Short mmCIF file of all heavy atoms in Angstrom, two decimals:
data_model
loop_
_atom_site.label_atom_id
_atom_site.label_comp_id
_atom_site.label_asym_id
_atom_site.label_seq_id
_atom_site.Cartn_x
_atom_site.Cartn_y
_atom_site.Cartn_z
N MET U 1 -1.74 8.24 4.45
CA MET U 1 -2.68 9.32 4.62
C MET U 1 -4.02 8.74 5.08
O MET U 1 -4.69 8.02 4.36
CB MET U 1 -2.85 10.05 3.28
CG MET U 1 -3.76 11.23 3.37
SD MET U 1 -3.59 12.33 1.98
CE MET U 1 -4.93 11.79 0.98
N ASN U 2 -4.40 9.03 6.28
CA ASN U 2 -5.65 8.54 6.85
C ASN U 2 -6.71 9.64 6.79
O ASN U 2 -6.48 10.76 7.19
CB ASN U 2 -5.46 8.12 8.30
CG ASN U 2 -4.53 6.93 8.42
OD1 ASN U 2 -4.46 6.12 7.51
ND2 ASN U 2 -3.83 6.83 9.53
N ILE U 3 -7.87 9.27 6.28
CA ILE U 3 -8.99 10.22 6.23
C ILE U 3 -10.03 9.72 7.23
O ILE U 3 -10.57 8.64 7.07
CB ILE U 3 -9.58 10.30 4.82
CG1 ILE U 3 -8.53 10.82 3.84
CG2 ILE U 3 -10.81 11.20 4.81
CD1 ILE U 3 -9.02 10.87 2.41
N GLY U 4 -10.28 10.52 8.22
CA GLY U 4 -11.24 10.15 9.25
C GLY U 4 -12.57 10.84 9.06
O GLY U 4 -12.83 11.54 8.08
N ALA U 5 -13.44 10.66 10.04
CA ALA U 5 -14.78 11.23 9.99
C ALA U 5 -14.77 12.76 9.93
O ALA U 5 -15.53 13.34 9.14
CB ALA U 5 -15.59 10.75 11.19
N PRO U 6 -13.93 13.45 10.71
CA PRO U 6 -13.95 14.92 10.62
C PRO U 6 -13.57 15.44 9.23
O PRO U 6 -14.17 16.41 8.74
CB PRO U 6 -12.90 15.37 11.65
CG PRO U 6 -12.78 14.22 12.59
CD PRO U 6 -13.05 13.00 11.79
N GLU U 7 -12.62 14.79 8.59
CA GLU U 7 -12.22 15.23 7.26
C GLU U 7 -13.33 14.99 6.24
O GLU U 7 -13.57 15.81 5.36
CB GLU U 7 -10.94 14.49 6.81
CG GLU U 7 -9.70 14.92 7.56
CD GLU U 7 -9.50 14.18 8.87
OE1 GLU U 7 -10.28 13.25 9.18
OE2 GLU U 7 -8.56 14.53 9.61
N ILE U 8 -14.02 13.86 6.37
CA ILE U 8 -15.12 13.56 5.45
C ILE U 8 -16.26 14.56 5.64
O ILE U 8 -16.85 15.04 4.68
CB ILE U 8 -15.61 12.11 5.65
CG1 ILE U 8 -14.51 11.15 5.19
CG2 ILE U 8 -16.90 11.86 4.89
CD1 ILE U 8 -14.80 9.69 5.48
N LEU U 9 -16.57 14.89 6.89
CA LEU U 9 -17.62 15.87 7.16
C LEU U 9 -17.26 17.25 6.61
O LEU U 9 -18.11 17.94 6.04
CB LEU U 9 -17.89 15.96 8.66
CG LEU U 9 -18.61 14.76 9.28
CD1 LEU U 9 -18.68 14.91 10.79
CD2 LEU U 9 -19.99 14.60 8.69
N LEU U 10 -16.01 17.64 6.76
CA LEU U 10 -15.55 18.92 6.23
C LEU U 10 -15.65 18.94 4.71
O LEU U 10 -16.12 19.91 4.11
CB LEU U 10 -14.11 19.21 6.67
CG LEU U 10 -13.52 20.52 6.18
CD1 LEU U 10 -14.31 21.70 6.73
CD2 LEU U 10 -12.07 20.62 6.57
N LEU U 11 -15.24 17.86 4.08
CA LEU U 11 -15.33 17.76 2.63
C LEU U 11 -16.78 17.82 2.17
O LEU U 11 -17.11 18.51 1.19
CB LEU U 11 -14.68 16.46 2.17
CG LEU U 11 -14.61 16.22 0.67
CD1 LEU U 11 -13.79 17.31 -0.02
CD2 LEU U 11 -14.00 14.87 0.40
N ALA U 12 -17.68 17.12 2.85
CA ALA U 12 -19.10 17.14 2.50
C ALA U 12 -19.68 18.55 2.65
O ALA U 12 -20.46 19.00 1.81
CB ALA U 12 -19.87 16.15 3.36
N LEU U 13 -19.28 19.27 3.68
CA LEU U 13 -19.75 20.63 3.90
C LEU U 13 -19.27 21.56 2.78
O LEU U 13 -20.04 22.36 2.26
CB LEU U 13 -19.28 21.15 5.26
CG LEU U 13 -19.70 22.56 5.63
CD1 LEU U 13 -21.22 22.65 5.72
CD2 LEU U 13 -19.06 22.98 6.93
N VAL U 14 -18.02 21.42 2.40
CA VAL U 14 -17.46 22.25 1.32
C VAL U 14 -18.20 21.96 0.01
O VAL U 14 -18.55 22.88 -0.73
CB VAL U 14 -15.94 22.02 1.17
CG1 VAL U 14 -15.41 22.67 -0.09
CG2 VAL U 14 -15.22 22.56 2.40
N ILE U 15 -18.44 20.70 -0.28
CA ILE U 15 -19.17 20.34 -1.50
C ILE U 15 -20.58 20.90 -1.46
O ILE U 15 -21.07 21.43 -2.47
CB ILE U 15 -19.19 18.80 -1.68
CG1 ILE U 15 -17.78 18.31 -2.02
CG2 ILE U 15 -20.18 18.39 -2.76
CD1 ILE U 15 -17.63 16.81 -2.03
N LEU U 16 -21.25 20.79 -0.32
CA LEU U 16 -22.60 21.32 -0.19
C LEU U 16 -22.62 22.84 -0.40
O LEU U 16 -23.49 23.35 -1.11
CB LEU U 16 -23.17 20.98 1.20
CG LEU U 16 -24.59 21.44 1.48
CD1 LEU U 16 -25.56 20.77 0.51
CD2 LEU U 16 -24.98 21.13 2.90
N LEU U 17 -21.67 23.55 0.16
CA LEU U 17 -21.61 24.99 -0.01
C LEU U 17 -21.27 25.38 -1.45
O LEU U 17 -21.78 26.35 -1.98
CB LEU U 17 -20.59 25.60 0.95
CG LEU U 17 -20.96 25.55 2.43
CD1 LEU U 17 -19.79 26.04 3.27
CD2 LEU U 17 -22.20 26.38 2.70
N PHE U 18 -20.39 24.61 -2.07
CA PHE U 18 -19.92 24.95 -3.41
C PHE U 18 -20.99 24.67 -4.48
O PHE U 18 -21.21 25.47 -5.37
CB PHE U 18 -18.63 24.17 -3.72
CG PHE U 18 -17.97 24.57 -5.00
CD1 PHE U 18 -17.34 25.80 -5.12
CD2 PHE U 18 -17.98 23.72 -6.09
CE1 PHE U 18 -16.73 26.18 -6.29
CE2 PHE U 18 -17.37 24.09 -7.28
CZ PHE U 18 -16.74 25.32 -7.38
N PHE U 19 -21.64 23.51 -4.41
CA PHE U 19 -22.59 23.12 -5.44
C PHE U 19 -24.04 23.37 -5.08
O PHE U 19 -24.90 23.43 -5.96
CB PHE U 19 -22.42 21.62 -5.77
CG PHE U 19 -21.13 21.30 -6.45
CD1 PHE U 19 -20.12 20.66 -5.77
CD2 PHE U 19 -20.93 21.65 -7.77
CE1 PHE U 19 -18.92 20.37 -6.40
CE2 PHE U 19 -19.74 21.37 -8.41
CZ PHE U 19 -18.74 20.71 -7.72
N GLY U 20 -24.36 23.44 -3.82
CA GLY U 20 -25.74 23.62 -3.41
C GLY U 20 -26.46 22.28 -3.33
O GLY U 20 -26.03 21.28 -3.89
N GLY U 21 -27.55 22.26 -2.61
CA GLY U 21 -28.27 21.01 -2.34
C GLY U 21 -28.93 20.39 -3.55
O GLY U 21 -29.10 19.18 -3.62
N LYS U 22 -29.30 21.18 -4.54
CA LYS U 22 -30.04 20.64 -5.69
C LYS U 22 -29.14 19.92 -6.67
O LYS U 22 -29.60 19.04 -7.39
CB LYS U 22 -30.78 21.77 -6.40
CG LYS U 22 -31.88 22.37 -5.55
CD LYS U 22 -32.62 23.45 -6.28
CE LYS U 22 -33.69 24.04 -5.37
NZ LYS U 22 -34.43 25.10 -6.04
N LYS U 23 -27.88 20.25 -6.73
CA LYS U 23 -26.97 19.63 -7.70
C LYS U 23 -26.30 18.37 -7.19
O LYS U 23 -25.79 17.58 -7.97
CB LYS U 23 -25.85 20.63 -8.10
CG LYS U 23 -26.31 21.76 -8.95
CD LYS U 23 -26.46 21.28 -10.36
CE LYS U 23 -26.77 22.43 -11.28
NZ LYS U 23 -26.87 22.02 -12.66
N ILE U 24 -26.31 18.14 -5.90
CA ILE U 24 -25.59 17.00 -5.32
C ILE U 24 -26.12 15.66 -5.82
O ILE U 24 -25.32 14.80 -6.18
CB ILE U 24 -25.57 17.09 -3.78
CG1 ILE U 24 -24.66 18.26 -3.38
CG2 ILE U 24 -25.06 15.79 -3.16
CD1 ILE U 24 -24.60 18.51 -1.92
N PRO U 25 -27.43 15.42 -5.90
CA PRO U 25 -27.89 14.12 -6.43
C PRO U 25 -27.41 13.86 -7.87
O PRO U 25 -27.03 12.74 -8.21
CB PRO U 25 -29.42 14.22 -6.38
CG PRO U 25 -29.69 15.21 -5.31
CD PRO U 25 -28.57 16.19 -5.39
N GLU U 26 -27.37 14.90 -8.70
CA GLU U 26 -26.89 14.75 -10.06
C GLU U 26 -25.39 14.40 -10.06
O GLU U 26 -24.96 13.56 -10.85
CB GLU U 26 -27.11 16.03 -10.85
CG GLU U 26 -28.57 16.36 -11.09
CD GLU U 26 -28.75 17.71 -11.76
OE1 GLU U 26 -27.83 18.17 -12.45
OE2 GLU U 26 -29.82 18.30 -11.59
N LEU U 27 -24.65 15.04 -9.19
CA LEU U 27 -23.21 14.77 -9.11
C LEU U 27 -22.95 13.34 -8.63
O LEU U 27 -22.08 12.65 -9.17
CB LEU U 27 -22.54 15.76 -8.14
CG LEU U 27 -22.46 17.20 -8.60
CD1 LEU U 27 -21.97 18.08 -7.45
CD2 LEU U 27 -21.54 17.33 -9.79
N MET U 28 -23.70 12.89 -7.65
CA MET U 28 -23.51 11.53 -7.14
C MET U 28 -23.91 10.48 -8.19
O MET U 28 -23.27 9.45 -8.30
CB MET U 28 -24.33 11.33 -5.85
CG MET U 28 -23.85 12.17 -4.68
SD MET U 28 -22.15 11.81 -4.22
CE MET U 28 -21.32 13.30 -4.73
N LYS U 29 -24.96 10.77 -8.96
CA LYS U 29 -25.37 9.85 -10.02
C LYS U 29 -24.26 9.74 -11.06
O LYS U 29 -23.92 8.64 -11.51
CB LYS U 29 -26.66 10.35 -10.66
CG LYS U 29 -27.23 9.42 -11.69
CD LYS U 29 -28.55 9.96 -12.24
CE LYS U 29 -29.13 9.03 -13.28
NZ LYS U 29 -30.39 9.56 -13.82
N GLY U 30 -23.70 10.86 -11.44
CA GLY U 30 -22.60 10.85 -12.40
C GLY U 30 -21.37 10.16 -11.86
O GLY U 30 -20.69 9.40 -12.57
N LEU U 31 -21.09 10.36 -10.58
CA LEU U 31 -19.95 9.71 -9.95
C LEU U 31 -20.16 8.20 -9.90
O LEU U 31 -19.24 7.43 -10.19
CB LEU U 31 -19.75 10.25 -8.53
CG LEU U 31 -18.59 9.68 -7.72
CD1 LEU U 31 -17.27 10.03 -8.39
CD2 LEU U 31 -18.62 10.20 -6.30
N GLY U 32 -21.37 7.78 -9.58
CA GLY U 32 -21.68 6.35 -9.54
C GLY U 32 -21.51 5.70 -10.91
O GLY U 32 -20.98 4.60 -11.03
N LYS U 33 -21.98 6.38 -11.96
CA LYS U 33 -21.82 5.86 -13.31
C LYS U 33 -20.34 5.76 -13.68
O LYS U 33 -19.92 4.81 -14.33
CB LYS U 33 -22.55 6.74 -14.32
CG LYS U 33 -24.04 6.59 -14.29
CD LYS U 33 -24.71 7.45 -15.34
CE LYS U 33 -26.22 7.27 -15.33
NZ LYS U 33 -26.87 8.10 -16.35
N GLY U 34 -19.56 6.75 -13.26
CA GLY U 34 -18.13 6.73 -13.55
C GLY U 34 -17.42 5.58 -12.86
O GLY U 34 -16.57 4.91 -13.45
N VAL U 35 -17.76 5.33 -11.61
CA VAL U 35 -17.16 4.23 -10.86
C VAL U 35 -17.55 2.90 -11.47
O VAL U 35 -16.71 2.00 -11.62
CB VAL U 35 -17.56 4.30 -9.37
CG1 VAL U 35 -17.17 3.05 -8.63
CG2 VAL U 35 -16.93 5.52 -8.71
N LYS U 36 -18.82 2.75 -11.87
CA LYS U 36 -19.27 1.50 -12.50
C LYS U 36 -18.53 1.27 -13.81
O LYS U 36 -18.09 0.16 -14.09
CB LYS U 36 -20.77 1.53 -12.74
CG LYS U 36 -21.31 0.23 -13.32
CD LYS U 36 -22.80 0.32 -13.57
CE LYS U 36 -23.42 -0.95 -14.07
NZ LYS U 36 -22.73 -1.65 -15.10
N SER U 37 -18.38 2.32 -14.59
CA SER U 37 -17.67 2.20 -15.86
C SER U 37 -16.21 1.81 -15.63
O SER U 37 -15.67 0.97 -16.36
CB SER U 37 -17.74 3.53 -16.62
OG SER U 37 -16.98 3.49 -17.78
N PHE U 38 -15.59 2.39 -14.62
CA PHE U 38 -14.21 2.05 -14.30
C PHE U 38 -14.08 0.59 -13.88
O PHE U 38 -13.19 -0.11 -14.34
CB PHE U 38 -13.71 2.97 -13.17
CG PHE U 38 -12.30 2.67 -12.74
CD1 PHE U 38 -11.23 3.06 -13.52
CD2 PHE U 38 -12.06 1.99 -11.57
CE1 PHE U 38 -9.93 2.79 -13.13
CE2 PHE U 38 -10.77 1.70 -11.16
CZ PHE U 38 -9.70 2.11 -11.94
N LYS U 39 -15.00 0.12 -13.03
CA LYS U 39 -14.97 -1.28 -12.59
C LYS U 39 -15.17 -2.23 -13.76
O LYS U 39 -14.51 -3.26 -13.85
CB LYS U 39 -16.05 -1.53 -11.53
CG LYS U 39 -15.71 -0.98 -10.18
CD LYS U 39 -16.78 -1.34 -9.18
CE LYS U 39 -16.45 -0.87 -7.79
NZ LYS U 39 -17.50 -1.25 -6.83
N ASP U 40 -16.11 -1.89 -14.65
CA ASP U 40 -16.35 -2.73 -15.83
C ASP U 40 -15.11 -2.78 -16.71
O ASP U 40 -14.76 -3.83 -17.25
CB ASP U 40 -17.54 -2.22 -16.63
CG ASP U 40 -18.87 -2.42 -15.92
OD1 ASP U 40 -18.92 -3.21 -14.95
OD2 ASP U 40 -19.86 -1.77 -16.33
N GLY U 41 -14.46 -1.64 -16.88
CA GLY U 41 -13.25 -1.60 -17.68
C GLY U 41 -12.13 -2.42 -17.06
O GLY U 41 -11.41 -3.14 -17.77
N MET U 42 -11.98 -2.33 -15.76
CA MET U 42 -10.93 -3.11 -15.07
C MET U 42 -11.24 -4.59 -15.15
O MET U 42 -10.34 -5.41 -15.33
CB MET U 42 -10.81 -2.68 -13.61
CG MET U 42 -10.25 -1.29 -13.44
SD MET U 42 -8.61 -1.08 -14.13
CE MET U 42 -7.65 -2.14 -13.09
N SER U 43 -12.50 -4.96 -15.05
CA SER U 43 -12.90 -6.36 -15.16
C SER U 43 -12.61 -6.88 -16.57
O SER U 43 -12.11 -7.99 -16.74
CB SER U 43 -14.39 -6.50 -14.84
OG SER U 43 -14.80 -7.84 -15.00
N GLY U 44 -12.92 -6.08 -17.59
CA GLY U 44 -12.64 -6.47 -18.96
C GLY U 44 -11.15 -6.63 -19.21
O GLY U 44 -10.72 -7.57 -19.88
N LEU U 45 -10.36 -5.73 -18.65
CA LEU U 45 -8.91 -5.82 -18.79
C LEU U 45 -8.37 -7.07 -18.11
O LEU U 45 -7.53 -7.78 -18.66
CB LEU U 45 -8.24 -4.57 -18.19
CG LEU U 45 -6.73 -4.52 -18.24
CD1 LEU U 45 -6.24 -4.51 -19.68
CD2 LEU U 45 -6.22 -3.30 -17.50
N GLU U 46 -8.89 -7.36 -16.92
CA GLU U 46 -8.46 -8.56 -16.20
C GLU U 46 -8.83 -9.82 -16.98
O GLU U 46 -8.04 -10.76 -17.06
CB GLU U 46 -9.11 -8.59 -14.81
CG GLU U 46 -8.65 -9.75 -13.95
CD GLU U 46 -9.24 -9.72 -12.56
OE1 GLU U 46 -9.39 -8.62 -12.00
OE2 GLU U 46 -9.57 -10.80 -12.05
N ASN U 47 -10.02 -9.82 -17.58
CA ASN U 47 -10.44 -10.98 -18.38
C ASN U 47 -9.57 -11.14 -19.62
O ASN U 47 -9.29 -12.26 -20.03
CB ASN U 47 -11.91 -10.86 -18.78
CG ASN U 47 -12.84 -11.05 -17.60
OD1 ASN U 47 -12.49 -11.66 -16.60
ND2 ASN U 47 -14.04 -10.52 -17.72
N ASP U 48 -9.14 -10.03 -20.21
CA ASP U 48 -8.27 -10.11 -21.38
C ASP U 48 -6.89 -10.63 -21.00
O ASP U 48 -6.27 -11.35 -21.78
CB ASP U 48 -8.12 -8.74 -22.04
CG ASP U 48 -9.39 -8.29 -22.73
OD1 ASP U 48 -10.27 -9.14 -22.97
OD2 ASP U 48 -9.50 -7.08 -23.04
N LEU U 49 -6.42 -10.27 -19.82
CA LEU U 49 -5.09 -10.70 -19.39
C LEU U 49 -5.08 -12.13 -18.87
O LEU U 49 -4.08 -12.82 -18.97
CB LEU U 49 -4.55 -9.75 -18.31
CG LEU U 49 -4.28 -8.32 -18.77
CD1 LEU U 49 -3.85 -7.46 -17.58
CD2 LEU U 49 -3.21 -8.28 -19.85
N ASN U 50 -6.20 -12.58 -18.30
CA ASN U 50 -6.31 -13.92 -17.73
C ASN U 50 -7.51 -14.65 -18.32
O ASN U 50 -8.54 -14.81 -17.66
CB ASN U 50 -6.46 -13.85 -16.20
CG ASN U 50 -5.28 -13.20 -15.54
OD1 ASN U 50 -4.14 -13.39 -15.96
ND2 ASN U 50 -5.53 -12.43 -14.51
N PRO U 51 -7.41 -15.14 -19.56
CA PRO U 51 -8.58 -15.79 -20.17
C PRO U 51 -8.99 -17.07 -19.45
O PRO U 51 -10.16 -17.44 -19.45
CB PRO U 51 -8.14 -16.08 -21.60
CG PRO U 51 -6.66 -15.98 -21.59
CD PRO U 51 -6.28 -15.08 -20.45
N ASP U 52 -8.03 -17.77 -18.82
CA ASP U 52 -8.38 -18.99 -18.08
C ASP U 52 -9.28 -18.67 -16.90
O ASP U 52 -10.20 -19.42 -16.58
CB ASP U 52 -7.12 -19.70 -17.58
CG ASP U 52 -6.25 -20.20 -18.73
OD1 ASP U 52 -6.81 -20.46 -19.81
OD2 ASP U 52 -5.03 -20.34 -18.54
N LYS U 53 -9.01 -17.56 -16.25
CA LYS U 53 -9.82 -17.16 -15.10
C LYS U 53 -11.25 -16.85 -15.54
O LYS U 53 -12.21 -17.17 -14.84
CB LYS U 53 -9.21 -15.93 -14.42
CG LYS U 53 -9.86 -15.56 -13.13
CD LYS U 53 -9.12 -14.44 -12.44
CE LYS U 53 -9.76 -14.11 -11.12
NZ LYS U 53 -9.07 -13.03 -10.41
N LYS U 54 -11.41 -16.26 -16.73
CA LYS U 54 -12.74 -15.96 -17.24
C LYS U 54 -13.53 -17.25 -17.46
O LYS U 54 -14.72 -17.32 -17.13
CB LYS U 54 -12.64 -15.18 -18.54
CG LYS U 54 -13.99 -14.78 -19.11
CD LYS U 54 -13.85 -14.00 -20.39
CE LYS U 54 -15.21 -13.64 -20.95
NZ LYS U 54 -15.10 -12.90 -22.20
N GLU U 55 -12.88 -18.27 -18.01
CA GLU U 55 -13.55 -19.54 -18.24
C GLU U 55 -14.01 -20.16 -16.92
O GLU U 55 -15.10 -20.70 -16.83
CB GLU U 55 -12.63 -20.51 -18.97
CG GLU U 55 -12.35 -20.11 -20.39
CD GLU U 55 -11.33 -21.01 -21.07
OE1 GLU U 55 -10.98 -22.06 -20.50
OE2 GLU U 55 -10.89 -20.66 -22.18
N GLU U 56 -13.19 -20.05 -15.89
CA GLU U 56 -13.56 -20.57 -14.57
C GLU U 56 -14.78 -19.83 -14.01
O GLU U 56 -15.67 -20.44 -13.43
CB GLU U 56 -12.39 -20.45 -13.60
CG GLU U 56 -11.23 -21.38 -13.91
CD GLU U 56 -10.04 -21.15 -12.99
OE1 GLU U 56 -10.20 -20.48 -11.95
OE2 GLU U 56 -8.95 -21.65 -13.31
N GLN U 57 -14.81 -18.50 -14.21
CA GLN U 57 -15.93 -17.72 -13.72
C GLN U 57 -17.22 -18.10 -14.43
O GLN U 57 -18.29 -18.20 -13.82
CB GLN U 57 -15.67 -16.23 -13.90
CG GLN U 57 -14.62 -15.67 -12.98
CD GLN U 57 -14.30 -14.22 -13.26
OE1 GLN U 57 -14.63 -13.69 -14.31
NE2 GLN U 57 -13.62 -13.57 -12.31
N VAL U 58 -17.14 -18.34 -15.74
CA VAL U 58 -18.32 -18.73 -16.50
C VAL U 58 -18.84 -20.08 -16.01
O VAL U 58 -20.04 -20.28 -15.82
CB VAL U 58 -18.00 -18.78 -18.02
CG1 VAL U 58 -19.14 -19.43 -18.80
CG2 VAL U 58 -17.71 -17.39 -18.53
N LYS U 59 -17.92 -21.02 -15.75
CA LYS U 59 -18.32 -22.33 -15.24
C LYS U 59 -18.99 -22.21 -13.88
O LYS U 59 -19.99 -22.86 -13.60
CB LYS U 59 -17.11 -23.26 -15.14
CG LYS U 59 -16.59 -23.73 -16.48
CD LYS U 59 -15.39 -24.63 -16.31
CE LYS U 59 -14.80 -25.04 -17.64
NZ LYS U 59 -13.59 -25.86 -17.49
N GLN U 60 -18.44 -21.36 -13.01
CA GLN U 60 -19.01 -21.17 -11.68
C GLN U 60 -20.41 -20.56 -11.77
O GLN U 60 -21.32 -20.95 -11.04
CB GLN U 60 -18.12 -20.29 -10.83
CG GLN U 60 -16.83 -20.98 -10.39
CD GLN U 60 -15.91 -20.05 -9.62
OE1 GLN U 60 -16.15 -18.85 -9.53
NE2 GLN U 60 -14.84 -20.61 -9.08
N GLU U 61 -20.59 -19.61 -12.68
CA GLU U 61 -21.91 -18.99 -12.84
C GLU U 61 -22.92 -19.99 -13.36
O GLU U 61 -24.08 -19.98 -12.96
CB GLU U 61 -21.80 -17.79 -13.78
CG GLU U 61 -21.08 -16.61 -13.16
CD GLU U 61 -20.90 -15.45 -14.14
OE1 GLU U 61 -21.43 -15.53 -15.27
OE2 GLU U 61 -20.23 -14.49 -13.77
N GLU U 62 -22.48 -20.87 -14.27
CA GLU U 62 -23.39 -21.90 -14.79
C GLU U 62 -23.79 -22.88 -13.69
O GLU U 62 -24.94 -23.32 -13.64
CB GLU U 62 -22.73 -22.64 -15.96
CG GLU U 62 -22.59 -21.80 -17.21
CD GLU U 62 -21.83 -22.52 -18.32
OE1 GLU U 62 -21.34 -23.64 -18.08
OE2 GLU U 62 -21.72 -21.93 -19.41
N GLU U 63 -22.84 -23.23 -12.83
CA GLU U 63 -23.15 -24.14 -11.73
C GLU U 63 -24.15 -23.50 -10.77
O GLU U 63 -25.00 -24.19 -10.21
CB GLU U 63 -21.86 -24.52 -11.00
CG GLU U 63 -20.96 -25.43 -11.80
CD GLU U 63 -19.63 -25.69 -11.12
OE1 GLU U 63 -19.39 -25.12 -10.03
OE2 GLU U 63 -18.82 -26.43 -11.68
N LYS U 64 -24.05 -22.21 -10.55
CA LYS U 64 -24.98 -21.52 -9.65
C LYS U 64 -26.39 -21.51 -10.20
O LYS U 64 -27.36 -21.58 -9.46
CB LYS U 64 -24.51 -20.08 -9.40
CG LYS U 64 -23.28 -19.98 -8.53
CD LYS U 64 -22.88 -18.53 -8.32
CE LYS U 64 -21.63 -18.41 -7.50
NZ LYS U 64 -21.21 -17.01 -7.33
N LYS U 65 -26.50 -21.44 -11.52
CA LYS U 65 -27.81 -21.40 -12.15
C LYS U 65 -28.53 -22.73 -12.05
O LYS U 65 -29.74 -22.80 -12.05
CB LYS U 65 -27.68 -20.99 -13.62
CG LYS U 65 -27.30 -19.55 -13.80
CD LYS U 65 -27.19 -19.19 -15.28
CE LYS U 65 -26.75 -17.76 -15.46
NZ LYS U 65 -26.59 -17.43 -16.89
N GLU U 66 -27.77 -23.81 -11.98
CA GLU U 66 -28.37 -25.15 -11.95
C GLU U 66 -28.94 -25.50 -10.62
O GLU U 66 -29.02 -25.08 -9.65
CB GLU U 66 -27.34 -26.21 -12.31
CG GLU U 66 -26.87 -26.08 -13.73
CD GLU U 66 -25.77 -27.08 -14.06
OE1 GLU U 66 -25.27 -27.78 -13.16
OE2 GLU U 66 -25.42 -27.15 -15.23
#
C-alpha cells in the first residue's frame, strides 16, 4: 500500500475540516508525545531483551563524552 502526496493532502484536508484549525496543534502535540512514549517503550523492551547491547551503548556514550 503506497501513500503518495495526493493521499496525504486529502487526509490533511479531511482532518482540517473535521477538527478545525485551532485543535490541530493540540492533536499534533498529543500525537508527538504518543510516538515518543512508544519509542521509549520499544527501546526499553529492546534493552531488556539484549542486555549486552545496552552495555555497549553505555560504553559508546561514555567514549563520546571524553
Side-chain angles (χ1 to χ4, degrees):
M1 183 163 97
N2 295 331
I3 298 178
E7 289 85 5
I8 293 173
L9 289 174
L10 180 62
L11 184 61
L13 180 63
V14 169
I15 291 171
L16 181 62
L17 291 174
F18 187 71
F19 291 107
K22 294 181 181 180
K23 289 282 187 178
I24 290 177
E26 293 175 25
L27 291 171
M28 294 299 110
K29 184 177 180 181
L31 181 64
K33 286 182 179 180
V35 169
K36 183 181 183 315
S37 175
F38 178 76
K39 284 183 177 181
D40 290 344
M42 291 300 294
S43 177
L45 179 63
E46 184 177 322
N47 289 338
D48 289 344
L49 294 176
N50 299 323
D52 295 334
K53 188 174 182 180
K54 182 179 179 181
E55 291 175 10
E56 290 176 15
Q57 289 175 344
V58 170
K59 288 179 183 177
Q60 288 176 352
E61 288 177 5
E62 289 175 356
E63 289 174 358
K64 288 180 182 178
K65 290 180 182 178
E66 294 176 353

